[in-house]
Amino acid sequence: MTRWILSRPETLTEIEQLRLKAVLANCPELDALTGHVRSFAQMLTERQEERLPQWLDAVIAGLTLPWNSGVVEGHVNRIKMLKRQMFGRTGFSLLRKRVLLAI
């Protein structure tokens, strides 16, 4: 999914394009993210320096506003650690139980 979003649309296979389109149609947040990623990439590749201040404002807001995703990232890292510990040993059901017990 990440590769599809970060790739130029014309480099994706037809199947990848269709799958990405289906996912984006069902998830407005990912659709917005894809637009931002491609806009930023276009700014960089076409050297549109006049658009840089808008992006800098967004970065400054992200660094100075009190809201962040730190708690969510902590949970994601914990789940990834549990998954790595169990790699190749069991299925999803045990991973689910370990995640629920770790909360």
Side-chain angles (χ1 to χ4, degrees):
M1 183 65 152
T2 302
R3 186 181 65 79
W4 295 345
I5 292 173
L6 293 175
S7 297
R8 290 181 182 213
E10 63 272 10
T11 64
L12 299 175
T13 67
E14 187 175 337
I15 292 172
E16 290 172 333
Q17 289 177 9
L18 290 172
R19 288 180 179 165
L20 178 60
K21 186 176 180 179
V23 170
L24 298 181
N26 290 309
C27 184
E29 293 84 2
L30 272 180
D31 191 31
L33 172 71
T34 302
H36 293 311
V37 167
R38 290 183 176 164
S39 172
F40 188 76
Q42 181 183 24
M43 179 190 71
L44 291 178
T45 57
E46 296 177 10
R47 296 183 178 234
Q48 299 172 341
E49 68 276 354
E50 69 278 359
R51 292 177 49 201
L52 184 59
Q54 295 170 322
W55 283 99
L56 289 177
D57 286 346
V59 171
I60 290 168
L63 294 173
T64 58
L65 293 175
W67 304 284
N68 66 61
S69 61
V71 174
V72 173
E73 289 300 322
H75 289 300
V76 169
N77 285 334
R78 183 175 44 79
I79 291 170
K80 285 181 179 181
M81 180 199 62
L82 290 170
K83 183 178 173 187
R84 279 191 299 271
Q85 288 175 341
M86 297 172 31
F87 183 75
R89 295 190 194 125
T90 186
F92 179 74
S93 61
L94 183 58
L95 174 61
R96 182 178 182 275
K97 287 178 185 176
R98 287 196 64 190
V99 168
L100 292 174
L101 289 173
I103 294 179

XYZ file of all heavy atoms in Angstrom:
832
model
N 0.821 -1.176 0.000
C 0.000 0.000 0.000
C 0.876 1.255 0.000
O 0.636 2.174 -0.765
C -0.920 -0.048 1.235
C -1.846 1.072 1.302
S -2.935 0.922 -0.091
C -4.321 1.669 0.495
N 1.867 1.260 0.883
C 2.757 2.417 0.962
C 3.468 2.634 -0.370
O 3.586 3.770 -0.834
C 3.791 2.212 2.088
O 3.092 2.009 3.313
C 4.693 3.412 2.229
N 3.942 1.553 -0.966
C 4.632 1.675 -2.256
C 3.708 2.241 -3.323
O 4.118 3.067 -4.139
C 5.175 0.314 -2.701
C 6.035 0.416 -3.964
C 6.545 -0.939 -4.419
N 5.494 -1.847 -4.838
C 4.883 -1.799 -6.022
N 5.200 -0.879 -6.894
N 3.951 -2.674 -6.310
N 2.443 1.828 -3.317
C 1.500 2.339 -4.307
C 1.331 3.851 -4.149
O 1.244 4.577 -5.125
C 0.142 1.674 -4.165
C 0.116 0.206 -4.459
C 1.070 -0.533 -5.088
C -0.928 -0.701 -4.124
N 0.687 -1.845 -5.163
C -0.540 -1.982 -4.581
C -2.148 -0.566 -3.488
C -1.329 -3.110 -4.430
C -2.945 -1.684 -3.327
C -2.546 -2.937 -3.790
N 1.247 4.311 -2.907
C 1.044 5.742 -2.652
C 2.294 6.538 -3.018
O 2.208 7.633 -3.572
C 0.634 5.975 -1.182
C -0.764 5.407 -0.937
C 0.698 7.458 -0.831
C -1.199 5.425 0.512
N 3.471 5.984 -2.714
C 4.716 6.707 -2.953
C 5.202 6.625 -4.400
O 6.074 7.384 -4.802
C 5.813 6.190 -2.014
C 5.589 6.477 -0.535
C 6.671 5.811 0.303
C 5.543 7.967 -0.268
N 4.642 5.716 -5.179
C 5.058 5.570 -6.587
C 4.300 6.536 -7.479
O 3.183 6.957 -7.162
C 4.776 4.150 -7.074
O 5.525 3.218 -6.352
N 4.915 6.837 -8.606
C 4.195 7.616 -9.615
C 3.070 6.733 -10.158
O 3.293 5.553 -10.446
C 5.122 8.018 -10.753
C 6.137 9.030 -10.343
C 7.010 9.405 -11.516
N 8.009 10.356 -11.090
C 8.479 11.299 -11.853
N 8.060 11.411 -13.104
N 9.382 12.125 -11.402
N 1.883 7.286 -10.310
C 0.737 6.463 -10.743
C 1.000 5.703 -12.045
O 0.579 4.556 -12.189
C -0.393 7.479 -10.919
C -0.005 8.625 -10.054
C 1.492 8.664 -10.043
N 1.713 6.316 -12.979
C 1.943 5.668 -14.272
C 2.909 4.485 -14.190
O 2.982 3.682 -15.120
C 2.431 6.680 -15.317
C 3.766 7.324 -14.999
C 3.682 8.576 -14.141
O 2.604 8.883 -13.608
O 4.724 9.231 -14.003
N 3.633 4.352 -13.086
C 4.554 3.215 -12.947
C 3.883 1.992 -12.322
O 4.469 0.917 -12.311
C 5.780 3.592 -12.089
O 5.341 3.905 -10.763
C 6.534 4.767 -12.691
N 2.674 2.150 -11.816
C 1.952 1.022 -11.223
C 1.325 0.170 -12.319
O 0.933 0.684 -13.366
C 0.859 1.533 -10.281
C 1.302 2.367 -9.087
C 0.088 2.897 -8.339
C 2.191 1.564 -8.160
N 1.210 -1.117 -12.037
C 0.513 -1.988 -12.983
C -0.971 -1.645 -12.958
O -1.462 -0.972 -12.037
C 0.695 -3.472 -12.610
O 0.021 -3.709 -11.367
C 2.162 -3.849 -12.518
N -1.675 -2.131 -13.942
C -3.115 -1.852 -14.007
C -3.839 -2.404 -12.778
O -4.726 -1.755 -12.214
C -3.705 -2.442 -15.290
C -5.153 -2.054 -15.512
C -5.687 -2.553 -16.841
O -4.901 -2.799 -17.768
O -6.918 -2.702 -16.940
N -3.439 -3.600 -12.346
C -4.065 -4.204 -11.171
C -3.777 -3.369 -9.920
O -4.671 -3.121 -9.107
C -3.572 -5.655 -10.987
C -4.102 -6.526 -12.125
C -3.992 -6.220 -9.637
C -3.538 -7.922 -12.156
N -2.529 -2.911 -9.772
C -2.178 -2.081 -8.613
C -2.961 -0.777 -8.624
O -3.444 -0.324 -7.584
C -0.673 -1.792 -8.603
C 0.170 -3.002 -8.295
C 1.659 -2.758 -8.481
O 2.039 -1.888 -9.293
O 2.447 -3.458 -7.809
N -3.106 -0.180 -9.804
C -3.883 1.054 -9.914
C -5.333 0.842 -9.504
O -5.914 1.655 -8.779
C -3.808 1.610 -11.335
C -2.467 2.186 -11.702
C -2.422 2.664 -13.149
O -3.444 2.720 -13.830
N -1.235 3.007 -13.621
N -5.911 -0.266 -9.951
C -7.304 -0.564 -9.606
C -7.471 -0.820 -8.106
O -8.436 -0.352 -7.492
C -7.811 -1.763 -10.409
C -8.010 -1.528 -11.909
C -8.327 -2.833 -12.618
C -9.099 -0.500 -12.135
N -6.529 -1.562 -7.533
C -6.603 -1.843 -6.095
C -6.436 -0.573 -5.274
O -7.143 -0.357 -4.293
C -5.563 -2.882 -5.707
C -5.910 -4.264 -6.208
C -4.886 -5.281 -5.817
N -5.276 -6.610 -6.294
C -4.468 -7.631 -6.360
N -3.210 -7.515 -5.979
N -4.899 -8.794 -6.806
N -5.481 0.267 -5.662
C -5.280 1.528 -4.947
C -6.524 2.398 -5.055
O -6.970 2.980 -4.062
C -4.059 2.271 -5.501
C -3.769 3.635 -4.876
C -3.511 3.501 -3.376
C -2.594 4.306 -5.567
N -7.097 2.465 -6.245
C -8.310 3.261 -6.444
C -9.444 2.754 -5.550
O -10.169 3.538 -4.949
C -8.726 3.210 -7.916
C -9.871 4.102 -8.255
C -10.161 4.075 -9.756
C -11.324 4.987 -10.101
N -11.608 4.992 -11.532
N -9.576 1.435 -5.421
C -10.629 0.857 -4.577
C -10.406 1.198 -3.110
O -11.349 1.557 -2.395
C -10.678 -0.657 -4.764
N -9.157 1.104 -2.664
C -8.859 1.428 -1.261
C -9.128 2.902 -0.993
O -9.750 3.261 0.012
C -7.393 1.070 -0.919
C -7.001 1.625 0.434
C -7.202 -0.437 -0.946
N -8.663 3.772 -1.884
C -8.838 5.210 -1.683
C -10.309 5.616 -1.729
O -10.715 6.554 -1.042
C -8.030 5.993 -2.724
C -6.517 5.788 -2.677
C -5.826 6.635 -3.736
C -5.955 6.069 -1.299
N -11.104 4.901 -2.517
C -12.539 5.196 -2.584
C -13.225 4.880 -1.258
O -14.233 5.501 -0.905
C -13.185 4.401 -3.709
N -12.680 3.921 -0.503
C -13.284 3.518 0.765
C -12.659 4.174 1.986
O -13.127 3.955 3.099
C -13.202 1.993 0.912
C -14.125 1.294 -0.057
O -15.302 1.609 -0.134
N -13.586 0.370 -0.817
N -11.588 4.929 1.783
C -10.911 5.549 2.923
C -10.535 6.989 2.578
O -9.475 7.231 1.984
C -9.679 4.738 3.314
S -8.877 5.386 4.785
N -11.380 7.955 2.935
C -11.095 9.345 2.582
C -9.791 9.872 3.191
O -9.128 10.715 2.602
C -12.300 10.124 3.124
C -13.150 9.169 3.848
C -12.635 7.784 3.643
N -9.398 9.341 4.344
C -8.155 9.795 4.978
C -6.944 9.406 4.128
O -6.033 10.207 3.917
C -8.015 9.223 6.394
C -9.035 9.743 7.373
C -10.376 9.003 7.344
O -10.517 8.031 6.562
O -11.282 9.404 8.093
N -6.942 8.151 3.641
C -5.845 7.716 2.774
C -5.866 8.442 1.441
O -4.820 8.727 0.867
C -5.920 6.204 2.531
C -5.215 5.317 3.537
C -5.374 3.854 3.162
C -3.758 5.664 3.663
N -7.051 8.751 0.956
C -7.175 9.500 -0.287
C -6.555 10.889 -0.121
O -5.795 11.349 -0.981
C -8.642 9.598 -0.698
C -8.821 10.137 -2.097
O -7.928 9.901 -2.956
O -9.844 10.793 -2.355
N -6.849 11.554 1.002
C -6.263 12.865 1.265
C -4.745 12.768 1.420
O -3.999 13.589 0.885
C -6.890 13.475 2.529
N -4.290 11.746 2.139
C -2.855 11.538 2.316
C -2.159 11.348 0.976
O -1.106 11.945 0.722
C -2.596 10.312 3.202
C -1.136 9.882 3.302
C -0.351 10.891 4.125
C -1.024 8.499 3.884
N -2.759 10.544 0.106
C -2.175 10.310 -1.214
C -2.046 11.615 -1.981
O -1.023 11.873 -2.622
C -3.027 9.295 -2.001
O -3.098 8.086 -1.248
C -2.450 9.012 -3.367
N -3.056 12.454 -1.901
C -2.984 13.764 -2.556
C -1.852 14.613 -2.010
O -1.117 15.260 -2.778
N -1.674 14.610 -0.691
C -0.593 15.389 -0.087
C 0.783 14.855 -0.491
O 1.695 15.626 -0.808
C -0.713 15.383 1.435
C -1.920 16.109 1.946
N -2.276 17.371 1.534
C -2.858 15.743 2.855
C -3.376 17.753 2.151
N -3.750 16.776 2.956
N 0.933 13.540 -0.467
C 2.220 12.928 -0.829
C 2.567 13.267 -2.271
O 3.698 13.671 -2.576
C 2.174 11.397 -0.613
C 3.364 10.719 -1.265
C 2.118 11.079 0.869
N 1.620 13.135 -3.156
C 1.888 13.399 -4.577
C 2.115 14.885 -4.827
O 2.946 15.256 -5.667
C 0.754 12.851 -5.428
C 0.780 11.327 -5.404
C -0.256 10.696 -6.277
N -0.075 9.239 -6.249
C -0.983 8.390 -6.648
N -2.130 8.830 -7.126
N -0.750 7.099 -6.591
N 1.426 15.732 -4.095
C 1.646 17.177 -4.211
C 3.056 17.543 -3.764
O 3.751 18.336 -4.414
C 0.608 17.924 -3.369
O 0.902 19.290 -3.315
N 3.500 16.977 -2.656
C 4.845 17.237 -2.152
C 5.894 16.719 -3.136
O 6.878 17.409 -3.438
C 5.032 16.598 -0.774
C 6.318 16.977 -0.106
C 6.479 18.218 0.465
C 7.370 16.078 -0.058
C 7.667 18.580 1.077
C 8.564 16.412 0.552
C 8.715 17.676 1.125
N 5.677 15.527 -3.666
C 6.619 14.955 -4.633
C 6.695 15.810 -5.891
O 7.785 16.042 -6.426
C 6.205 13.529 -4.984
N 5.557 16.310 -6.337
C 5.535 17.175 -7.521
C 6.303 18.466 -7.249
O 7.070 18.921 -8.089
C 4.096 17.488 -7.919
C 3.990 18.366 -9.152
C 2.559 18.722 -9.483
O 1.689 18.704 -8.612
N 2.304 19.044 -10.735
N 6.119 19.031 -6.055
C 6.843 20.241 -5.695
C 8.352 19.996 -5.756
O 9.113 20.831 -6.260
C 6.446 20.721 -4.295
C 7.178 21.969 -3.849
S 6.936 22.374 -2.122
C 7.868 21.083 -1.320
N 8.796 18.845 -5.240
C 10.226 18.547 -5.230
C 10.767 18.263 -6.628
O 11.823 18.783 -7.007
C 10.510 17.349 -4.327
C 10.303 17.565 -2.823
C 10.566 16.279 -2.081
C 11.198 18.671 -2.306
N 10.074 17.428 -7.391
C 10.596 17.032 -8.702
C 10.542 18.163 -9.716
O 11.403 18.240 -10.588
C 9.857 15.798 -9.251
O 8.472 16.083 -9.323
C 10.111 14.584 -8.390
N 9.558 19.024 -9.601
C 9.434 20.140 -10.545
C 10.032 21.430 -9.995
O 9.919 22.478 -10.624
C 7.963 20.338 -10.917
C 7.383 19.151 -11.655
C 5.910 19.297 -11.971
O 5.360 20.422 -11.787
O 5.300 18.307 -12.403
N 10.660 21.329 -8.823
C 11.339 22.467 -8.177
C 10.447 23.706 -8.114
O 10.797 24.779 -8.576
C 12.644 22.772 -8.891
C 13.623 21.636 -8.785
C 14.933 21.968 -9.423
N 15.839 20.856 -9.255
C 17.034 20.966 -8.717
N 17.467 22.126 -8.320
N 17.794 19.910 -8.596
N 9.291 23.537 -7.519
C 8.320 24.620 -7.363
C 8.531 25.279 -6.005
O 7.742 25.106 -5.079
C 6.897 24.074 -7.497
C 6.621 23.439 -8.839
C 5.277 22.741 -8.878
O 4.695 22.415 -7.853
N 4.778 22.501 -10.077
N 9.607 26.043 -5.896
C 9.976 26.628 -4.601
C 8.925 27.585 -4.052
O 8.844 27.790 -2.844
C 11.336 27.331 -4.695
C 11.368 28.575 -5.551
C 11.571 28.289 -7.042
O 11.796 27.139 -7.425
O 11.486 29.252 -7.812
N 8.080 28.132 -4.892
C 7.041 29.044 -4.405
C 6.010 28.333 -3.528
O 5.305 28.968 -2.747
C 6.350 29.753 -5.578
C 5.481 28.879 -6.466
C 6.247 28.096 -7.539
O 7.471 28.234 -7.629
O 5.587 27.335 -8.273
N 5.923 27.012 -3.634
C 4.977 26.241 -2.810
C 5.569 25.820 -1.468
O 4.856 25.348 -0.596
C 4.520 25.001 -3.581
C 3.657 25.370 -4.782
C 3.250 24.181 -5.608
N 2.710 23.108 -4.796
C 2.654 21.839 -5.206
N 3.100 21.499 -6.390
N 2.160 20.909 -4.428
N 6.875 25.997 -1.289
C 7.535 25.554 -0.065
C 6.993 26.215 1.202
O 6.818 25.530 2.214
C 9.045 25.758 -0.178
C 9.872 25.241 0.992
C 9.662 23.737 1.181
C 11.344 25.550 0.779
N 6.690 27.522 1.210
C 6.176 28.134 2.455
C 4.913 27.465 2.993
O 4.741 27.336 4.201
C 5.912 29.584 2.064
C 6.876 29.852 0.958
C 6.956 28.546 0.198
N 4.024 26.985 2.109
C 2.818 26.285 2.571
C 3.198 25.014 3.331
O 2.618 24.700 4.371
C 1.930 25.914 1.389
C 1.354 27.095 0.647
C 0.689 26.649 -0.640
O 1.166 25.746 -1.325
N -0.424 27.283 -0.973
N 4.164 24.292 2.810
C 4.600 23.058 3.456
C 5.327 23.362 4.755
O 5.165 22.636 5.740
C 5.487 22.240 2.510
C 4.665 21.534 1.486
C 4.434 21.927 0.203
C 3.912 20.338 1.669
N 3.606 21.047 -0.427
C 3.273 20.054 0.444
C 3.725 19.470 2.737
C 2.463 18.945 0.268
C 2.922 18.368 2.558
C 2.302 18.112 1.345
N 6.098 24.431 4.773
C 6.797 24.797 6.009
C 5.803 25.169 7.100
O 5.994 24.847 8.268
C 7.785 25.937 5.750
C 9.013 25.555 4.933
C 9.880 26.778 4.683
C 9.806 24.473 5.625
N 4.718 25.879 6.710
C 3.675 26.202 7.691
C 3.085 24.933 8.298
O 2.821 24.862 9.501
C 2.561 27.015 7.035
C 2.958 28.450 6.766
O 3.978 28.903 7.308
O 2.243 29.123 5.983
N 2.879 23.917 7.460
C 2.321 22.653 7.954
C 3.302 21.965 8.906
O 2.901 21.424 9.939
C 1.988 21.733 6.782
N 4.583 21.994 8.583
C 5.596 21.385 9.446
C 5.678 22.125 10.776
O 5.718 21.506 11.847
C 6.977 21.364 8.749
C 8.075 20.944 9.708
C 6.932 20.435 7.546
N 5.670 23.446 10.726
C 5.718 24.249 11.959
C 4.501 23.960 12.823
O 4.617 23.780 14.042
C 5.832 25.748 11.628
C 7.218 26.036 11.039
C 5.574 26.611 12.853
C 7.363 27.402 10.424
N 3.330 23.873 12.214
C 2.117 23.549 12.970
C 2.242 22.176 13.616
O 1.866 21.984 14.776
C 0.890 23.612 12.056
N 2.787 21.223 12.870
C 2.959 19.877 13.416
C 3.916 19.832 14.591
O 3.767 19.023 15.502
N 4.895 20.708 14.575
C 5.880 20.725 15.663
C 5.443 21.545 16.866
O 5.919 21.331 17.977
C 7.218 21.275 15.140
C 7.927 20.403 14.105
C 9.137 21.129 13.545
C 8.329 19.074 14.704
N 4.547 22.488 16.663
C 4.201 23.399 17.757
C 2.837 23.156 18.382
O 2.613 23.565 19.518
C 4.261 24.864 17.268
O 3.366 25.025 16.166
C 5.673 25.243 16.852
N 1.928 22.525 17.669
C 0.602 22.279 18.231
C 0.672 21.140 19.244
O 1.510 20.244 19.129
C -0.397 21.957 17.123
C -0.699 23.115 16.172
C -1.600 22.666 15.042
C -1.321 24.290 16.912
N -0.194 21.151 20.246
C -0.107 20.151 21.309
C -0.561 18.748 20.910
O -0.305 17.788 21.622
C -1.029 20.707 22.402
C -2.001 21.567 21.668
C -1.244 22.145 20.506
N -1.221 18.591 19.766
C -1.730 17.285 19.369
C -0.646 16.491 18.657
O 0.101 17.019 17.841
C -2.939 17.429 18.453
C -4.008 18.243 19.074
C -4.867 17.851 20.056
C -4.310 19.604 18.784
N -5.702 18.886 20.395
C -5.376 19.991 19.620
C -3.803 20.548 17.921
C -5.931 21.245 19.604
C -4.356 21.813 17.907
C -5.410 22.137 18.744
N -0.561 15.207 18.970
C 0.380 14.336 18.281
C -0.111 12.897 18.337
O -1.064 12.583 19.032
C 1.794 14.464 18.858
C 1.887 13.957 20.270
O 1.644 12.789 20.538
N 2.244 14.823 21.200
N 0.572 12.042 17.624
C 0.173 10.637 17.566
C 1.123 9.754 18.371
O 1.224 8.558 18.121
C 0.117 10.166 16.109
O 1.406 10.288 15.530
N 1.798 10.327 19.344
C 2.778 9.591 20.133
C 2.210 8.370 20.823
O 2.827 7.304 20.826
N 1.046 8.493 21.405
C 0.432 7.359 22.110
C 0.130 6.231 21.131
O 0.421 5.065 21.395
C -0.845 7.815 22.848
C -1.565 6.633 23.442
C -0.499 8.832 23.917
N -0.421 6.587 19.992
C -0.750 5.576 18.985
C 0.524 4.892 18.502
O 0.570 3.666 18.374
C -1.502 6.218 17.796
C -1.707 5.220 16.669
C -2.831 6.776 18.258
N 1.567 5.673 18.237
C 2.831 5.097 17.770
C 3.414 4.144 18.817
O 3.993 3.121 18.468
C 3.838 6.197 17.430
C 3.483 6.976 16.187
C 3.406 6.112 14.936
O 4.236 5.190 14.794
O 2.513 6.347 14.115
N 3.266 4.477 20.084
C 3.740 3.583 21.140
C 3.037 2.245 21.108
O 3.667 1.188 21.252
N 1.717 2.270 20.907
C 0.955 1.020 20.820
C 1.360 0.223 19.580
O 1.496 -1.002 19.643
C -0.549 1.293 20.794
C -1.092 1.779 22.100
N -1.015 1.043 23.255
C -1.709 2.935 22.434
C -1.566 1.729 24.249
N -1.988 2.880 23.774
N 1.549 0.910 18.466
C 1.951 0.231 17.233
C 3.305 -0.447 17.421
O 3.497 -1.602 17.034
C 1.987 1.223 16.048
C 2.661 0.613 14.831
C 0.580 1.687 15.709
N 4.258 0.253 18.032
C 5.577 -0.337 18.264
C 5.505 -1.548 19.194
O 6.200 -2.542 18.990
C 6.541 0.708 18.842
C 6.995 1.675 17.785
O 7.013 1.365 16.616
N 7.362 2.869 18.207
N 4.651 -1.481 20.210
C 4.491 -2.599 21.130
C 3.923 -3.816 20.401
O 4.392 -4.951 20.574
C 3.577 -2.186 22.285
C 3.409 -3.249 23.342
C 2.587 -2.748 24.519
N 1.397 -1.995 24.164
C 0.246 -2.548 23.759
N 0.131 -3.849 23.683
N -0.782 -1.797 23.466
N 2.928 -3.596 19.552
C 2.319 -4.691 18.793
C 3.334 -5.292 17.817
O 3.429 -6.515 17.679
C 1.051 -4.211 18.058
C -0.049 -3.898 19.086
C 0.575 -5.239 17.034
C -1.245 -3.192 18.522
N 4.125 -4.449 17.172
C 5.148 -4.959 16.257
C 6.178 -5.801 17.004
O 6.650 -6.808 16.484
C 5.837 -3.805 15.538
C 4.994 -3.175 14.461
C 5.764 -2.059 13.789
C 4.955 -1.420 12.690
N 5.714 -0.351 12.026
N 6.538 -5.384 18.223
C 7.485 -6.154 19.017
C 6.913 -7.530 19.327
O 7.588 -8.548 19.187
C 7.830 -5.431 20.318
C 8.827 -6.201 21.173
S 8.841 -5.702 22.884
C 7.189 -6.097 23.398
N 5.640 -7.581 19.748
C 5.003 -8.863 20.033
C 4.978 -9.747 18.783
O 5.243 -10.948 18.847
C 3.577 -8.652 20.548
C 3.439 -8.044 21.936
C 1.985 -7.678 22.209
C 3.962 -8.995 22.985
N 4.677 -9.145 17.658
C 4.620 -9.902 16.407
C 6.000 -10.458 16.053
O 6.123 -11.614 15.645
C 4.107 -8.987 15.289
C 3.933 -9.680 13.974
C 3.379 -8.712 12.945
C 3.368 -9.356 11.580
N 2.992 -8.429 10.540
N 7.048 -9.646 16.218
C 8.403 -10.119 15.927
C 8.809 -11.263 16.852
O 9.472 -12.211 16.427
C 9.403 -8.972 16.053
C 9.465 -8.082 14.839
C 10.657 -7.146 14.912
N 10.627 -6.259 16.061
C 10.058 -5.065 16.093
N 9.472 -4.595 15.022
N 10.084 -4.335 17.177
N 8.419 -11.182 18.111
C 8.760 -12.239 19.060
C 8.146 -13.570 18.660
O 8.693 -14.624 18.950
C 8.289 -11.869 20.471
C 9.092 -10.772 21.113
C 8.488 -10.360 22.461
O 7.332 -10.634 22.746
N 9.289 -9.674 23.262
N 6.989 -13.527 18.013
C 6.261 -14.743 17.666
C 6.461 -15.145 16.213
O 5.835 -16.083 15.736
C 4.773 -14.521 17.918
C 4.449 -14.259 19.362
S 2.750 -13.763 19.658
C 1.823 -14.552 18.420
N 7.328 -14.502 15.501
C 7.470 -14.718 14.061
C 7.615 -16.194 13.704
O 8.484 -16.888 14.197
C 8.675 -13.950 13.521
C 8.822 -14.067 12.039
C 7.985 -13.372 11.185
C 9.772 -14.905 11.495
C 8.115 -13.487 9.816
C 9.900 -15.027 10.121
C 9.074 -14.320 9.280
N 6.712 -16.660 12.849
C 6.781 -18.011 12.338
C 6.348 -19.101 13.299
O 6.408 -20.272 12.969
N 5.919 -18.738 14.489
C 5.577 -19.757 15.487
C 4.088 -20.031 15.616
O 3.694 -21.080 16.081
C 6.112 -19.338 16.861
C 7.605 -19.277 16.897
C 8.087 -19.090 18.319
N 9.485 -18.717 18.268
C 9.986 -17.653 18.825
N 9.240 -16.845 19.514
N 11.258 -17.393 18.719
N 3.277 -19.049 15.263
C 1.850 -19.213 15.495
C 1.056 -18.313 14.567
O 1.614 -17.588 13.760
C 1.512 -18.928 16.971
O 0.144 -19.238 17.194
C 1.763 -17.485 17.315
N -0.241 -18.302 14.744
C -1.112 -17.526 13.872
C -1.665 -16.276 14.545
O -1.256 -15.880 15.640
N -2.629 -15.697 13.883
C -3.216 -14.443 14.326
C -3.931 -14.571 15.667
O -3.902 -13.647 16.472
C -4.191 -13.928 13.261
C -4.864 -12.652 13.654
C -4.186 -11.448 13.631
C -6.189 -12.655 14.072
C -4.803 -10.275 14.001
C -6.820 -11.488 14.447
C -6.125 -10.288 14.412
N -4.557 -15.688 15.944
C -5.354 -15.827 17.172
C -4.499 -15.649 18.425
O -4.908 -14.973 19.373
C -6.095 -17.163 17.204
O -5.171 -18.225 17.186
N -3.291 -16.237 18.441
C -2.421 -16.070 19.605
C -1.888 -14.639 19.685
O -1.795 -14.069 20.769
C -1.268 -17.066 19.583
C -0.336 -17.005 20.798
C -1.107 -17.243 22.100
C 0.787 -18.020 20.659
N -1.546 -14.060 18.538
C -1.092 -12.660 18.533
C -2.176 -11.761 19.107
O -1.906 -10.892 19.940
C -0.739 -12.215 17.115
C -0.378 -10.727 16.960
C 0.856 -10.374 17.786
C -0.172 -10.377 15.498
N -3.413 -11.989 18.713
C -4.540 -11.192 19.225
C -4.641 -11.317 20.743
O -4.782 -10.332 21.458
C -5.839 -11.652 18.570
C -7.049 -10.865 18.995
C -8.301 -11.373 18.240
N -9.438 -10.595 18.605
C -10.209 -10.811 19.669
N -9.913 -11.819 20.484
N -11.238 -10.053 19.937
N -4.524 -12.545 21.255
C -4.611 -12.756 22.701
C -3.474 -12.045 23.430
O -3.674 -11.418 24.462
C -4.580 -14.252 23.021
C -5.867 -14.954 22.661
C -5.780 -16.445 22.959
C -7.042 -17.145 22.484
N -6.966 -18.590 22.665
N -2.255 -12.127 22.881
C -1.112 -11.476 23.532
C -1.257 -9.961 23.536
O -0.935 -9.297 24.517
C 0.186 -11.869 22.841
C 0.583 -13.299 23.155
C 1.998 -13.586 22.812
N 2.907 -12.788 23.636
C 4.204 -12.705 23.403
N 4.738 -13.351 22.403
N 4.962 -11.973 24.177
N -1.790 -9.417 22.433
C -1.992 -7.959 22.360
C -3.043 -7.532 23.384
O -2.849 -6.563 24.124
C -2.412 -7.528 20.938
C -2.911 -6.091 20.931
C -1.244 -7.691 19.979
N -4.131 -8.270 23.470
C -5.178 -7.923 24.422
C -4.715 -8.061 25.873
O -5.082 -7.268 26.728
C -6.430 -8.776 24.177
C -7.156 -8.490 22.869
C -8.283 -9.488 22.660
C -7.676 -7.060 22.833
N -3.899 -9.068 26.165
C -3.395 -9.244 27.513
C -2.341 -8.188 27.875
O -2.150 -7.889 29.056
C -2.809 -10.647 27.681
C -3.832 -11.771 27.697
C -3.122 -13.125 27.683
C -4.737 -11.660 28.908
N -1.670 -7.646 26.894
C -0.613 -6.659 27.148
C -1.171 -5.271 27.431
O -0.458 -4.398 27.875
C 0.342 -6.607 25.965
N -2.438 -5.065 27.168
C -3.031 -3.718 27.368
C -3.198 -3.406 28.815
O -3.469 -4.134 29.660
C -4.363 -3.605 26.618
C -4.102 -3.670 25.117
C -5.082 -2.328 26.977
C -5.334 -3.591 24.271
